[in-house]
Amino acid sequence: MKTLLLIAHGSRRAASNDEVRQLTQRLNVINPLGFSGVETAFLELAQPSIPEGLAACVAKGASEIVVFPYFLAAGTHVVNDIPEAIQAFQATHPQIKVSLTPHLGDSDLLPQAILQVASAA
Amino acid sequence: MKTLLLIAHGSRRAASNDEVRQLTQRLNVINPLGFSGVETAFLELAQPSIPEGLAACVAKGASEIVVFPYFLAAGTHVVNDIPEAIQAFQATHPQIKVSLTPHLGDSDLLPQAILQVASAA
């Protein structure tokens, strides 16, 4: 059972965090092929934290977790913080397979997304 | 002549800012229909600033500028800072038509972009 865990930065603004939670809900409605579900976690400033998000995947039966950094730039959070959190989790959960995808900013679809929004202006 | 101005947050990490500049280059290579070119500006921590970016569009002949907030969440930057910067620009450049698009996090293509990255994992 494979779960997608979307990790966002987290914000002091509740509305920003809710935007991310709504996106996760939209992903769950799409019900992506190969994934039993999609969960959210926040690096800081919001709940669930990354360890809590990983634990929630396990509690729901995940044997495999694909971590997706919902970040536009490959800053310290993407390069260091998220991999370290995964490593710490793996040390206590060696039976769970965890993989880390490239961050959103790396997606080939971003230019299309931008131009779609810009063309509608 | 209509120019697309992509506004990113800006980072202390030069590599993050370069990621945004490369994205702008990719957009210019795509050469989007209806736009004579794509420019970048940064809200803070990197150059060009928003006023500099708007001025660069004008210097290159833009009579119309479409501002695209390259942000995932509608925080204070998207809701207040960018509109205020546009307003200040409009006060001194009433002959230029400036419009503001929704931010990237609002794009309908984001779920697809996320699932494309996640499925490749």
Side-chain angles (χ1 to χ4, degrees), chain A residues 13 19 70 72-75 103 110, chain B residues 13 19 70 72 74-75 103 110:
Chain A
R13 286 181 73 253
E19 250 186 285
Y70 187 60
L72 288 179
H103 64 296
L110 273 196
Chain B
R13 287 182 72 254
E19 248 187 286
Y70 187 59
L72 289 180
H103 64 294
L110 272 196

Side-chain angles (χ1 to χ4, degrees), chain A residues 2 4 6 13 15-16 19-20 23 26-27 30 32-33 35 38 66 68 70-76 79 99-119 121, chain B residues 2 4 6 13 15-16 19-20 23 26-27 30 32-33 35 38 66 68 70-76 79 99-119 121:
Chain A
K2 188 161 82 167
L4 177 61
L6 186 146
R13 286 181 73 253
S16 291
E19 250 186 285
V20 178
L23 174 64
R26 283 168 69 191
L27 289 169
I30 294 173
L33 195 72
F35 291 100
V38 186
V66 175
F68 173 77
Y70 187 60
F71 285 75
L72 288 179
T76 313
V79 175
S99 54
L100 177 61
T101 73
H103 64 296
L104 176 64
D106 214 37
S107 164
D108 284 340
L109 281 178
L110 273 196
Q112 277 181 53
I114 292 168
L115 294 178
Q116 192 189 58
V117 173
S119 303
Chain B
K2 188 161 81 165
L4 178 61
L6 186 146
R13 287 182 72 254
S16 291
E19 248 187 286
V20 179
L23 174 64
R26 284 168 68 193
L27 289 168
I30 294 172
L33 195 72
F35 291 100
V38 186
V66 175
F68 173 78
Y70 187 59
F71 285 75
L72 289 180
T76 313
V79 175
S99 55
L100 177 61
T101 74
H103 64 294
L104 175 64
D106 215 34
S107 164
D108 284 339
L109 281 178
L110 272 196
Q112 278 182 52
I114 292 168
L115 294 178
Q116 192 189 60
V117 173
S119 302

Side-chain angles (χ1 to χ4, degrees), chain B residues 57-73:
Chain B
C57 294
V58 176
K60 289 184 180 177
S63 55
E64 186 175 347
I65 302 171
V66 175
V67 175
F68 173 78
Y70 187 59
F71 285 75
L72 289 180

